[in-house]
Amino acid sequence: MSKIKGPLKFFFILAGILLPFKAMAQNVVRYNLTVTDTMVNYSGKAKRAIAVNGQIPMPTLTFTEGDIAEIVVHNKLKESTSLHWHGVFLPNQEDGVPYLTQMPIAPGETFTYRFPVIQNGTHWYHSHSGFQEQIGMYGSLLFLKKKDDPTFRKGIDDLPQVPLILSEWTDIKPENVHRMLHNANDWFAIKKGAVQSYTEAIQAGHFKTKLKNEWKRMLAMDVSDVYYDKFLINGKDESWLPQFKAGDKVRLRLSNGGASSYFWLTYAGGRITVVANDGNDVEPVEVDRLIIGVSETYDIVVTLPEEDVAYELLATPEDRTKSASIYLGQGRIQLNSRLPKLNYFEGMKMMNGMMNMDGSMDDMGMDMSYQKMDMNIVMYPEITGNTPIKSGGLKEQNGHSTHLNRDITTLNYGMLKAPQPTTLPKEAPVREFRFELTGNMNRYVWSLDNKILSETDKILINKGENIRIVLYNGSMMRHPMHLHGHDFRLLNGQGEFAPLKNVLDIMPMETDTLEFSANMEGDWFFHCHILYHMMAGMNRVFSYKNQTPNPYLPNKVWAYKKLQSESNMFHFMAENDFASNGNDGKIMVQNTRWSLGAEWRLGYHDEHGYETEVHIGRYIGKNQWFMPFIGFDWRYRKQHGGHEKNLFGQTSTKDHRAVLSLGAEYTLPMLIQLQGEVFIDGKIRFQLMREDIPVSPRLRGAFMVNTDKEYMTGFKYILTRNLSISTHYDSDMGVGVGATLNH
Amino acid sequence: MTLIKSTVIWLVALATMVCSAQLKNQKTLSAKIHGNCEKCESTIENAGDIKDQSDVDWNKETKMAMISFDSLKTSIDEILKRIALAGYNNDIFLAPTDTYSRLPGCCQYKGAVKARGKSAGFNMDSETLDHVYSNQKMVRQETHLLSTVFDNYFVLKDALVNSDGITASASAKSLLRTIKDVQMEKLPTDVHMVWMKVLKPLEQDIGHIAATENINRQRVHFASLSRNIYEVLKISKPEVPVYYQYCPMASDGKGANWLSKEEIVKNPYYGSVMLSCGQTVETIKQ
């Protein structure tokens, strides 16, 4: 699928020579990794990506417990990079988080990671710099058990095994994806068919549901945020493992290296036996399907039942837009049925019931935890049945398609049990932390206790303590929370056999408890592993008191500020409507709390006038419905006859005006923006406005009315990510049609 | 000569017309696709056809399909995969077993197959076995006079989980019979006391459920029925663990309980709408 272009051939050859080179002295296993820019073509368009040793995913690195790992990274990019060893116990300076455990590996530089391998299991590695993980920098990392390991499991650890790493690809640059998410750009929803507009709601008989949803100030929710062009297993959306035959049992070591996708795993050859999770053995458990959270790993065992049939392992992203397949064995391919499309309005209805008017969530007294109650299940047609479709659709519905299978066994965390006791040192002092996972979709702000990394200090802990963390997810999305450098026990009801994990997928309204022994000093990242949530600041750092200095990071105070600023970057958006009656547009620069915006309406002649408003404001509160601001207005419009008066009897001076103002914006139910402004010349203005009313999947309505007796109403039809056609009526400028460009 | 020339021109013109009415970069292949009847034909062709990409013409006598497609836009594999996903085996792909079993009867070209893994049939077998097993035990030990009552309660509960009012009504009738059959005097004293207390309301609730096929009315009575069964079950100590479960949304937000043999939550008050709503509040075992 991905074709590596010419100039990289050299590195290919270089890698070919270097890769097999393993220095066996002192049991050191060395890999050389060369990081280069490359072009790939997953979707029909050539796009930039990053390859390591000429390949995507990065090469699988295999070690045996007891080895010393030595990984030499040659950065041939024009930007800095880093590699993080996900789920691995190692000295803090080898953990690979730029500005936290080391300085970034600069362009042209070579950096060597070296650490003893003191555990076994399925792990993976990825870049922790910017968005590099999304464009190719992920790979499998296997630590094998020694043959004489007392925990060696016959029938599992001796099976043939294949590492599989799941990921996704988008043709849109990840920096742009991030920007679009912050700007509540609904292009992704359009591509996914998940806009949940009013016409769709009416067709599905869910008009009231949609109305109530907007009344509660919610934007349409989806199970995931980004539209992807392809989903991949080991870099391909369809591939073979032909080496297996009937009767074979195969151990698949799966890692989810996706930036933001959860994957459902189903197998056409029967049930799936789960034998390990996040690199730790669990008591084997048989299921029909499981969901693998972002950055989790699962080891599963599957069987090939019959001769001359290849069996499909299907990985379906949670939003079910597409899928990736790998076929085990040779012969005709036994397919899995595809997961049917989500019933979005059922999900919306449930969300309405759970959401309080103040934006907090009400679990109605259910103590939810450990994935046991999947509230998304209301959206799964394979469990709950299809919603009746009121139309003579093109595809004929045969009467049997409503046959349901409610007996699908889905893995949840409650079913994971460690084979050995995992209890922590009993005499150690216990420290408890509580975090609420918070966020709002409208501005794509994700945080802990409504604070992002740049608003918090490092959390200090002592070596030798038992740390207990209680997490409550008060946001509307699930979050895979990952702790660096440690495994934690998940208190899932298995007592002393609580499973060990390093990623906790926590669903909305769940409360989960985890605990770990603070036994490895350093600064350790604790964050949501959805790349775009992490970059939005949903992070913390656990820092051991009195730690020895890190030779790779001499100035830690400065570096932490740098790390903080990376996850609270300003993002930019611009939009202009080139209409027959003038130009309407705005630009905005925003971060988590601050917003600087300028709007303009420029007519083509003096009668229509020219005006611009600039606002600098700060969003207040968890839901960010309130934003006080200071503003500056300038306008000019040639008027015939007397001055107009506003609703308060104040004379408006449209023909010449340049004033400062103090104001505030507040989001009302139905997502209407109420804006009140007092100008230094004593004038007062109130305004109601709503843009982006989702009339149909691609049609948006807008209106505005204010106390200066100005009003506007219009429609916009979205053609592409950057282009719409629009029409509006404006009290100053009259009717106009035009094209809207947005960035 | 001119005649030949004009004929050639005519032929070329004709050929171009035919071509332009068809797909670009067209390739045509034939492939065998299993199926039986007209219904199969429309499903197969619907699954295969995509405008400006592919066109499938299946013949039910020969089981052969002529597949034309734009070779730059798609491939024979992609088309055959879609057809297999709609339920029809071919030379490259086998249909998913669950999709096949949902085909109309006339389309089940292999005859009814048993689905792999945990199919409905498999379940039923194990359940019947369980039932027989517990019956034998009861006969032997005579301590669990109430087992049949509980078993019938679970049958009723499952009917409500499936939102099946007719089966619920029928199973309520047999539950009522088994309740009347209970030889109270053989019950241990403590169980006897509780049984006496709940017998009247039990009979009333079950009677109401039996009398209607309206699932909503049945569920109202099932809430109080479950509470009383719980009282009995708790004191009589079942041989296998039973889970007392609770959904706070049931009974219009007042909340309601039920009993289940499985720990996994399958809510009888909502059926498919909120199947997994609820939690185990107590595990009752010996």
Side-chain angles (χ1 to χ4, degrees):
Chain A
M1 264 289 175
S2 64
K3 293 182 185 86
I4 311 292
K5 288 272 168 69
L8 292 174
K9 245 184 190 160
F10 168 67
F11 295 114
F12 248 141
I13 295 160
L14 188 73
I17 298 162
L18 292 178
L19 193 62
F21 177 71
K22 292 182 179 182
M24 292 310 290
Q26 296 175 327
N27 215 21
V28 176
V29 178
R30 178 185 298 151
Y31 286 93
N32 273 280
L33 301 178
T34 305
V35 191
T36 55
D37 268 312
T38 188
M39 295 299 282
V40 292
N41 190 338
Y42 287 104
S43 64
K45 287 181 196 144
K47 294 283 168 184
R48 185 216 167 205
I50 299 176
V52 166
N53 294 355
Q55 67 177 84
I56 295 174
M58 302 196 279
T60 298
L61 310 183
T62 309
F63 303 92
T64 305
E65 188 171 352
D67 288 347
I68 289 176
E70 204 171 278
I71 301 131
V72 187
V73 183
H74 309 275
N75 182 8
K76 306 285 184 190
L77 299 173
K78 292 187 189 73
E79 62 192 52
S80 69
T81 190
S82 61
L83 286 177
H84 165 62
W85 317 98
H86 186 104
V88 178
F89 310 148
L90 36 57
N92 191 236
Q93 68 204 46
E94 311 295 337
D95 194 44
V97 183
Y99 300 117
L100 186 64
T101 67
Q102 67 174 100
M103 285 300 288
I105 307 173
E109 202 178 86
T110 293
F111 185 89
T112 304
Y113 291 98
R114 188 183 160 97
F115 54 88
V117 176
I118 56 169
Q119 68 201 116
N120 62 70
T122 305
H123 301 281
W124 65 293
Y125 68 113
H126 59 88
S127 166
H128 226 293
S129 299
F131 298 99
Q132 292 175 346
E133 180 196 313
Q134 175 84 81
I135 56 170
M137 288 190 73
Y138 48 85
S140 292
L141 174 63
L142 307 185
F143 295 163
L144 306 178
K145 272 183 197 174
K146 282 193 262 191
K147 286 273 172 327
D148 57 355
D149 192 309
T151 68
F152 196 89
R153 296 185 290 179
K154 280 225 166 78
I156 296 174
D157 289 322
D158 48 6
L159 290 176
Q161 48 188 327
V162 183
L164 298 178
I165 188 156
L166 309 174
S167 63
E168 72 285 86
W169 176 261
T170 165
D171 274 347
I172 301 175
K173 264 173 68 177
E175 289 79 2
N176 268 336
V177 171
H178 191 56
R179 211 175 47 82
M180 286 164 71
L181 290 169
H182 278 287
N183 294 329
N185 185 319
D186 50 10
W187 180 245
F188 295 132
I190 293 173
K191 292 286 276 181
K192 293 208 274 185
V195 174
Q196 305 163 50
S197 65
Y198 275 98
T199 42
E200 291 164 287
I202 290 163
Q203 273 164 15
H206 272 292
F207 178 65
K208 260 189 173 162
T209 310
K210 178 70 186 170
L211 215 56
K212 194 169 174 196
N213 197 248
E214 294 215 320
W215 178 254
K216 294 195 169 185
R217 292 177 269 200
M218 285 189 269
L219 290 178
M221 283 290 301
D222 198 350
V223 293
S224 68
D225 307 328
V226 185
Y227 170 82
Y228 287 102
D229 296 281
K230 283 280 189 259
F231 294 93
L232 311 168
I233 300 176
N234 285 354
K236 297 195 170 70
D237 65 346
E238 203 176 1
S239 56
W240 286 82
L241 293 171
Q243 64 267 42
F244 302 111
K245 55 183 191 307
D248 279 358
K249 280 187 165 193
V250 184
R251 176 186 191 162
L252 301 171
R253 291 171 170 269
L254 288 146
S255 313
N256 185 350
S260 73
S261 302
Y262 282 67
F263 288 94
W264 284 109
L265 297 169
T266 46
Y267 178 60
R271 303 187 93 190
I272 293 170
T273 307
V274 176
V275 298
N277 168 233
D278 286 353
N280 294 293
D281 287 352
V282 295
E283 289 290 345
V285 51
E286 223 178 73
V287 295
D288 294 304
R289 65 180 185 184
L290 64 148
I291 195 164
I292 176 168
V294 175
S295 83
E296 282 189 302
T297 78
Y298 274 105
D299 289 29
I300 63 172
V301 174
V302 295
T303 312
L304 280 72
E306 279 170 49
E307 288 294 347
D308 298 321
V309 181
Y311 293 91
E312 179 183 47
L313 178 80
L314 183 71
T316 313
E318 207 186 2
D319 64 13
R320 304 178 172 201
T321 46
K322 294 186 173 85
S323 59
S325 310
I326 190 161
Y327 309 124
L328 281 70
Q330 286 181 30
R332 290 206 284 174
I333 297 164
Q334 175 63 59
L335 296 171
N336 261 309
S337 50
R338 270 36 186 170
L339 297 183
K341 286 222 163 5
L342 296 172
N343 293 330
Y344 280 113
F345 287 110
E346 291 298 331
M348 185 185 277
K349 195 169 161 188
M350 186 200 64
M351 229 8 138
N352 286 348
M354 300 278 170
M355 178 65 74
N356 296 324
M357 215 42 222
D358 66 357
S360 65
M361 299 226 277
D362 177 8
D363 66 2
M364 310 182 101
M366 287 180 277
D367 299 323
M368 292 192 260
S369 58
Y370 310 116
Q371 297 181 325
K372 282 184 196 160
M373 194 194 307
D374 179 358
M375 300 303 282
N376 284 338
I377 210 165
V378 298
M379 293 194 277
Y380 301 158
E382 72 274 22
I383 310 257
T384 61
N386 290 311
T387 46
I389 297 159
K390 289 181 200 159
S391 72
L394 288 173
K395 301 268 161 168
E396 187 181 315
Q397 288 272 324
N398 63 46
H400 301 257
S401 67
T402 46
H403 171 91
L404 306 177
N405 191 353
R406 293 204 178 90
D407 290 317
I408 298 170
T409 307
T410 304
L411 184 78
N412 66 54
Y413 283 162
M415 294 155 88
L416 298 177
K417 185 183 181 190
Q420 284 89 28
T422 57
T423 41
L424 304 182
K426 284 199 177 61
E427 63 286 358
V430 178
R431 276 238 272 168
E432 187 173 291
F433 295 95
R434 283 174 179 270
F435 295 105
E436 182 181 346
L437 281 59
T438 39
N440 84 71
M441 195 67 204
N442 305 29
R443 295 197 63 251
Y444 210 73
V445 169
W446 302 103
S447 51
L448 296 170
D449 295 332
N450 193 28
K451 284 196 167 62
I452 58 167
L453 185 74
S454 69
E455 296 168 324
T456 53
D457 292 327
K458 293 178 185 175
I459 299 166
L460 297 176
I461 56 175
N462 293 307
K463 189 167 181 176
E465 281 177 332
N466 288 344
I467 307 296
R468 177 173 295 173
I469 301 176
V470 183
L471 292 169
Y472 166 69
N473 186 355
S475 80
M476 287 192 282
M477 299 211 75
R478 61 202 300 174
H479 299 282
M481 299 302 296
H482 171 53
L483 176 66
H484 284 213
H486 304 73
D487 277 341
F488 49 74
R489 306 175 75 230
L490 188 62
L491 306 188
N492 65 343
Q494 299 284 12
E496 58 180 348
F497 296 96
L500 292 171
K501 289 181 65 56
N502 51 62
V503 180
L504 167 75
D505 165 43
I506 179 166
M507 303 215 272
M509 291 178 283
E510 280 191 345
T511 304
D512 291 353
T513 306
L514 54 93
E515 59 180 27
F516 64 94
S517 165
N519 53 12
M520 183 64 85
E521 67 166 33
D523 284 355
W524 301 102
F525 223 16
F526 175 58
H527 64 96
C528 175
H529 216 289
I530 291 176
L531 185 59
Y532 303 99
H533 292 185
M534 182 181 86
M535 296 305 278
M538 198 170 193
N539 319 320
R540 286 292 185 276
V541 171
F542 283 103
S543 179
Y544 285 64
K545 286 181 197 164
N546 309 317
Q547 47 178 297
T548 46
N550 180 338
Y552 299 149
L553 201 63
N555 192 346
K556 276 204 164 186
V557 178
W558 168 84
Y560 187 63
K561 291 211 171 85
K562 192 85 184 142
L563 182 78
Q564 287 178 310
S565 72
E566 278 200 338
S567 57
N568 189 21
M569 301 286 249
F570 278 93
H571 43 268
F572 174 78
M573 74 90 76
E575 187 178 282
N576 191 52
D577 181 16
F578 300 91
S580 57
N581 59 346
N583 276 278
D584 261 357
K586 62 179 170 193
I587 53 169
M588 276 209 275
V589 182
Q590 297 187 310
N591 71 3
T592 307
R593 307 286 173 204
W594 290 98
S595 167
L596 166 66
E599 281 179 38
W600 58 84
R601 272 173 293 283
L602 307 172
Y604 293 124
H605 48 79
D606 293 356
E607 277 79 18
H608 280 174
Y610 320 96
E611 63 176 286
T612 146
E613 288 174 29
V614 180
H615 292 162
I616 299 175
R618 186 177 163 89
Y619 289 98
I620 308 290
K622 190 167 70 177
N623 297 299
Q624 303 204 328
W625 287 332
F626 182 57
M627 183 188 76
F629 62 83
I630 42 178
F632 176 74
D633 265 32
W634 178 89
R635 66 171 95 179
Y636 172 81
R637 186 178 155 206
K638 197 171 172 185
Q639 282 178 313
H640 306 284
H643 290 300
E644 291 167 12
K645 285 192 173 176
N646 70 11
L647 276 185
F648 309 108
Q650 295 169 314
T651 314
S652 109
T653 47
K654 285 199 169 179
D655 51 352
H656 187 66
R657 189 176 161 83
V659 277
L660 285 168
S661 71
L662 208 61
E665 220 175 77
Y666 184 74
T667 307
L668 294 172
M670 300 307 295
L671 298 163
I672 293 166
Q673 298 286 333
L674 167 69
Q675 201 184 75
E677 229 175 333
V678 185
F679 298 91
I680 45 165
D681 58 2
K683 301 259 155 39
I684 297 171
R685 190 180 72 176
F686 286 97
Q687 175 172 293
L688 291 173
M689 182 168 82
R690 167 112 196 248
E691 291 174 313
D692 292 329
I693 303 164
V695 181
S696 82
R698 281 172 185 263
L699 188 67
R700 302 286 174 273
F703 73 88
M704 183 277 285
V705 53
N706 67 25
T707 54
D708 286 352
K709 297 176 189 166
E710 292 174 320
Y711 54 92
M712 181 279 290
T713 170
F715 290 99
K716 186 165 87 175
Y717 187 84
I718 301 167
L719 290 174
T720 71
R721 176 155 69 94
N722 303 113
L723 180 68
S724 318
I725 46 170
S726 50
T727 171
H728 69 274
Y729 178 79
D730 185 300
S731 56
D732 283 355
M733 301 189 218
V735 180
V737 288
T740 307
L741 282 175
N742 66 283
H743 173 72
Chain B
M1 197 57 191
T2 48
L3 185 74
I4 292 170
K5 217 175 189 175
S6 66
T7 322
V8 168
I9 289 167
W10 255 105
L11 277 174
V12 169
L14 205 68
T16 4
M17 268 171 66
V18 170
C19 280
S20 65
Q22 291 190 340
L23 299 157
K24 284 182 194 155
N25 313 302
Q26 182 172 314
K27 232 179 175 180
T28 302
L29 295 169
S30 68
K32 184 164 185 184
I33 296 167
H34 296 264
N36 294 326
C37 55
E38 277 88 10
K39 266 190 188 162
C40 306
E41 184 167 354
S42 65
T43 315
I44 290 170
E45 293 180 357
N46 269 336
D49 290 357
I50 288 182
K51 200 171 171 267
D52 297 331
Q53 257 194 29
S54 57
D55 182 62
V56 178
D57 183 15
W58 184 72
N59 183 319
K60 98 178 137 92
E61 310 304 328
T62 62
K63 321 277 184 230
M64 295 300 285
M66 293 302 288
I67 303 177
S68 311
F69 59 98
D70 179 337
S71 60
L72 291 184
K73 278 187 184 157
T74 185
S75 67
I76 187 84
D77 283 17
E78 275 182 27
I79 298 162
L80 288 175
K81 191 178 190 175
R82 282 202 302 274
I83 291 170
L85 286 173
Y88 298 90
N89 285 1
N90 50 61
D91 289 340
I92 302 181
F93 294 101
L94 299 172
T97 38
D98 53 341
T99 312
Y100 173 79
S101 66
R102 260 172 267 152
L103 290 177
C106 77
C107 286
Q108 304 223 341
Y109 45 90
K110 294 187 275 191
V113 285
K114 59 172 205 295
R116 235 188 302 278
K118 192 182 174 180
S119 70
F122 179 79
N123 258 347
M124 216 178 299
D125 285 352
S126 69
E127 236 161 56
T128 340
L129 280 175
D130 266 350
H131 196 84
V132 172
Y133 180 68
S134 56
N135 275 347
Q136 281 173 347
K137 259 203 169 162
M138 189 190 73
V139 173
R140 206 169 52 240
Q141 301 185 347
E142 282 218 353
T143 48
H144 267 268
L145 294 159
L146 296 171
S147 308
T148 41
V149 173
F150 299 142
D151 285 345
N152 276 299
Y153 167 87
F154 292 127
V155 174
L156 169 61
K157 183 216 59 170
D158 289 341
L160 294 176
V161 168
N162 291 326
S163 301
D164 183 348
I166 298 165
T167 312
S169 168
S171 48
K173 282 183 192 118
S174 54
L175 177 56
L176 203 56
R177 268 197 303 280
T178 51
I179 283 190
K180 292 204 159 80
D181 287 348
V182 171
Q183 294 165 290
M184 246 189 282
E185 59 284 0
K186 287 193 182 163
L187 293 169
T189 332
D190 51 347
V191 182
H192 192 157
M193 295 301 288
V194 176
W195 183 253
M196 291 279 285
K197 200 180 87 190
V198 300
L199 186 58
K200 260 264 139 55
L202 271 184
E203 285 179 339
Q204 271 174 9
D205 282 324
I206 300 165
H208 282 297
I209 295 172
T212 178
E213 284 172 6
N214 178 324
I215 193 86
N216 293 326
R217 257 184 275 164
Q218 289 171 336
R219 282 172 172 151
V220 171
H221 295 288
F222 187 70
S224 51
L225 167 65
S226 295
R227 269 197 305 279
N228 288 324
I229 291 280
Y230 163 77
E231 295 291 328
V232 182
L233 201 93
K234 196 173 159 61
I235 196 86
S236 70
K237 304 244 169 34
E239 286 158 66
V240 286
V242 171
Y243 302 95
Y244 193 46
Q245 297 171 327
Y246 175 72
C247 164
M249 292 172 77
S251 303
D252 295 323
K254 288 198 290 279
N257 293 80
W258 70 95
L259 294 150
S260 173
K261 283 196 284 191
E262 303 165 282
E263 198 176 359
I264 194 161
V265 169
K266 286 181 188 163
N267 189 328
Y269 294 101
Y270 283 94
S272 64
V273 186
M274 285 289 285
L275 189 63
S276 68
C277 174
Q279 59 185 326
T280 300
V281 287
E282 190 179 340
T283 305
I284 310 156
K285 52 188 172 194
Q286 274 175 333

